[in-house]
Amino acid sequence: MLPLRVAGTRLVGRLTRTPLSQTQARSFYSGKNTSPAVNTTRRLAAIAGLVGVPGLWWLTATRDDDVPRLEAPPARHLVAEPGPTKDEVTRTISQDAYSFPVRNVAGVNRYDGTQLASNSLCEDRFTHGMFPSPFNDGTQWMAWAVFDGHAGWQTAELLKDHLLPFVRHSLTQVKSASDHKASIPAEVLQKAITRAFIDLDDSIIKTALQTVQGCEPLQDKLKKLAPAYAGSCALLSMYDAVTGSVHVACTGDSRAVLGQQMPNGQWKAIPLSVDQTGSNEDEVARINQEHPGEENIAKDGRILGMMVSRAFGDSRWKWSLDLQKDLKERFGGPSPLTPKYDVRTPPYLTAEPVVTTTMIDPTKPSFLILATDGMWDTLSNQQAVDLVGKWLNSQIQGYPSNQPKAEYKPVDFGDLGNGVDWEFEEGRTTIQDDNVAVHLVRNSLGGNHHELIAGRLALGSPFSRSIRDDMTVQVVFFHCPHLSPK
């Protein structure tokens, strides 16, 4: 029943009945030679009688209904919204950009970053900033990290909040025979970082198992299971200004590359991580050694269907088949890997990272690029480093004011790989962004070829996933005194 409101009056009958006439309605409020009290009494009596009439309801709004008015003229032709303009392209790739000058950590001048979503919601996450040295010596370290989620964003979100605290705690446990932090071998630090990665993934998996056995409400259990159902790569870089070293830990196929300026002014690309996928022969050999006698674990560049060979979460590649079936039935978990894949001796994936330590030469300008595979799908290490090098030169010399106007024939995606390069092409390079991470994203998607980059941005999820992935990019500048703070 509709509620009775007493602000004003409007009387309507059922659709099968005749509405009350205006004359009838007016009679409730008028009466010649009648006192106000008598008039009020008559009106209230009439109202009470009407409310009791079957098939009538009382609407008392003194203004028009709030129902939306659909009074547009009939459309003769479908008017489609046009694709992104050049300004809209720039806004799209720049809307989540950030840039920070660094003044309190020796050796670091500035860092830039951005993120461009393809999935809805974006499955990538990132973190960056400064934190106290884990050795409590009064100095500050810096960290940058990107997390490439898959099958959901939940694992990447958890890593964003918890991976660095796990690593910092593990580093505080490092003991050395010497009181001087600089004497701690890099291998000891690398083991501590590795242990933190493994401990966090174990916590994700064990928390899920404990949740299943607990007495929490169903909705709480499902929220706690989500980071185990989904998965994520992780790429963490930490800079220690005292030793001038960068520790890079990689689980998955996000990639870190150092660009270092050579005496001739050119930039050298130095990989600080290697993609851990089913196409990496060393990874395939490792997995085959761990699972002797099992054929076709690695096939077509994938590990039982998974692109990466190391990842957080991804419980189907870590739990027994019986457990997979149980969670599918009781908690809506992902479908078990069988019968499509032969699951015998899990786990097949690990979150154990490969950790490298690199000394940053204070006599050579350099920069560190960290990015999820969405960018590396179209750029090689050297191409990315060269793009940043050109951007740096433009900061010194100014953007070219007379860049030739790019002229291209109309294209569609069928032309990619058939006369039009899907990946980065040197001739499409453009320099027009103040943020170097945005500069990398723009050139990875098409550069000065407006139709190509706008076409890649025109489609939203889920259709955009066939032409581009989520992209998260960070660039850190070391010993570049000529680089003005953003």
Side-chain angles (χ1 to χ4, degrees):
M1 178 182 292
L2 291 177
L4 178 65
R5 294 182 292 175
V6 195
T9 61
R10 186 178 179 186
L11 302 172
V12 186
R14 288 187 186 271
L15 295 178
T16 57
R17 296 174 180 261
T18 303
L20 295 173
S21 70
Q22 293 181 356
T23 301
Q24 289 174 307
R26 281 198 301 268
S27 68
F28 302 144
Y29 299 94
S30 64
K32 294 182 180 180
N33 301 320
T34 305
S35 70
V38 173
N39 200 24
T40 300
T41 302
R42 290 177 177 176
R43 183 168 67 247
L44 292 176
I47 290 174
L50 282 170
V51 170
V53 176
L56 296 179
W57 64 85
W58 193 255
L59 298 179
T60 59
T62 58
R63 54 187 173 81
D64 288 343
D65 291 341
D66 292 332
V67 176
R69 303 296 185 184
L70 305 177
E71 299 175 354
R76 297 185 179 183
H77 303 285
L78 178 63
V79 180
E81 182 179 349
T85 65
K86 291 184 178 180
D87 287 343
E88 288 169 341
V89 166
T90 297
R91 284 196 294 271
T92 298
I93 63 177
S94 304
Q95 63 186 359
D96 291 320
Y98 52 90
S99 183
F100 290 91
V102 181
R103 300 182 177 90
N104 299 320
V105 178
V108 184
N109 303 101
R110 163 181 158 181
Y111 65 90
D112 292 2
T114 195
Q115 184 173 83
L116 176 65
S118 179
N119 291 291
S120 181
L121 298 167
C122 180
E123 294 180 343
D124 280 7
R125 295 292 186 271
F126 61 87
T127 190
H128 55 85
M130 188 165 53
F131 64 94
S133 165
F135 303 106
N136 297 319
D137 57 5
T139 64
Q140 296 290 320
W141 283 33
M142 296 204 70
W144 305 270
V146 296
F147 309 105
D148 182 1
H150 46 260
W153 50 266
Q154 292 87 348
T155 315
E157 178 74 14
L158 184 147
L159 295 179
K160 173 181 72 71
D161 295 333
H162 296 287
L163 181 59
L164 184 58
F166 264 68
V167 170
R168 289 176 59 190
H169 174 74
S170 185
L171 287 172
T172 62
Q173 308 304 307
V174 172
K175 303 297 182 181
S176 173
S178 170
D179 293 333
H180 301 288
K181 174 175 66 69
S183 66
I184 300 177
E187 294 79 7
V188 175
L189 300 179
Q190 292 169 3
K191 288 181 179 179
I193 296 169
T194 297
R195 184 166 58 252
F197 273 55
I198 295 173
D199 287 348
L200 178 53
D201 191 53
D202 284 347
S203 178
I204 293 172
I205 301 301
K206 290 177 181 177
T207 295
L209 294 176
Q210 292 168 358
T211 297
V212 169
Q213 299 166 359
C215 299
E216 296 173 291
L218 175 62
Q219 64 271 22
D220 294 347
K221 289 183 177 181
L222 295 180
K223 292 289 286 188
K224 290 186 177 182
L225 284 168
Y229 288 169
S232 181
C233 303
L235 179 65
L236 171 66
S237 173
M238 296 181 296
Y239 175 69
D240 177 4
V242 174
T243 62
S245 56
V246 170
H247 307 286
V248 173
C250 178
T251 292
D253 61 355
S254 296
R255 193 183 308 167
V257 179
L258 184 70
Q260 189 176 78
Q261 192 169 39
M262 308 306 291
N264 63 0
Q266 300 298 310
W267 292 88
K268 179 181 179 182
I270 305 171
L272 302 189
S273 70
V274 178
D275 298 357
Q276 301 156 359
T277 69
S279 299
N280 182 322
E281 293 182 359
D282 291 339
E283 286 293 283
V284 172
R286 174 184 64 81
I287 292 173
N288 286 336
Q289 185 176 12
E290 293 174 355
H291 304 274
E294 296 186 51
E295 300 178 357
N296 297 323
I297 293 179
K299 186 177 181 181
D300 299 326
R302 293 177 176 269
I303 306 300
L304 297 180
M306 175 65 74
M307 179 70 75
V308 294
S309 54
R310 305 189 190 209
F312 285 84
D314 289 321
S315 56
R316 286 185 293 171
W317 285 263
K318 299 172 182 177
W319 285 341
S320 69
L321 186 57
D322 288 340
L323 183 58
Q324 292 181 46
K325 292 178 178 178
D326 182 52
L327 267 68
K328 170 64 177 176
E329 178 180 350
R330 297 172 57 205
F331 301 104
S335 297
L337 293 179
T338 56
K340 187 174 183 179
Y341 302 105
D342 185 11
V343 177
R344 304 185 199 176
T345 57
Y348 294 96
L349 298 185
T350 177
E352 180 179 351
V354 175
V355 187
T356 61
T357 299
T358 304
M359 303 299 296
I360 302 297
D361 189 338
T363 67
K364 297 178 181 179
S366 57
F367 52 81
L368 175 64
I369 303 172
L370 297 94
T372 55
D373 67 333
M375 189 192 80
W376 300 115
D377 285 342
T378 60
L379 285 176
S380 70
N381 292 354
Q382 189 61 56
Q383 287 169 339
V385 166
D386 288 342
L387 281 169
V388 176
K390 291 178 180 180
W391 182 90
L392 269 173
N393 289 338
S394 75
Q395 296 293 299
I396 302 171
Q397 304 168 6
Y399 294 148
S401 58
N402 57 348
Q403 293 186 66
K405 184 178 180 180
E407 298 289 347
Y408 298 100
K409 296 179 180 179
V411 297
D412 59 41
F413 294 131
D415 297 319
L416 296 175
N418 185 24
V420 177
D421 202 333
W422 172 271
E423 299 181 349
F424 172 76
E425 190 175 84
E426 179 71 24
R428 299 196 297 243
T429 300
T430 182
I431 304 173
Q432 55 182 287
D433 301 294
D434 292 332
N435 185 300
V436 69
V438 174
H439 167 73
L440 283 172
V441 169
R442 182 190 297 276
N443 283 281
S444 72
L445 291 174
N448 64 14
H449 195 318
H450 172 68
E451 189 172 4
L452 181 55
I453 185 173
R456 280 171 155 160
L457 296 175
L459 290 177
S461 177
F463 307 107
S464 58
R465 283 294 286 113
S466 65
I467 52 178
R468 61 183 176 89
D469 196 0
D470 295 333
M471 292 187 187
T472 303
V473 183
Q474 297 176 331
V475 183
V476 186
F477 294 99
F478 301 98
H479 305 292
C480 295
H482 54 279
L483 181 62
S484 59
K486 176 73 172 66

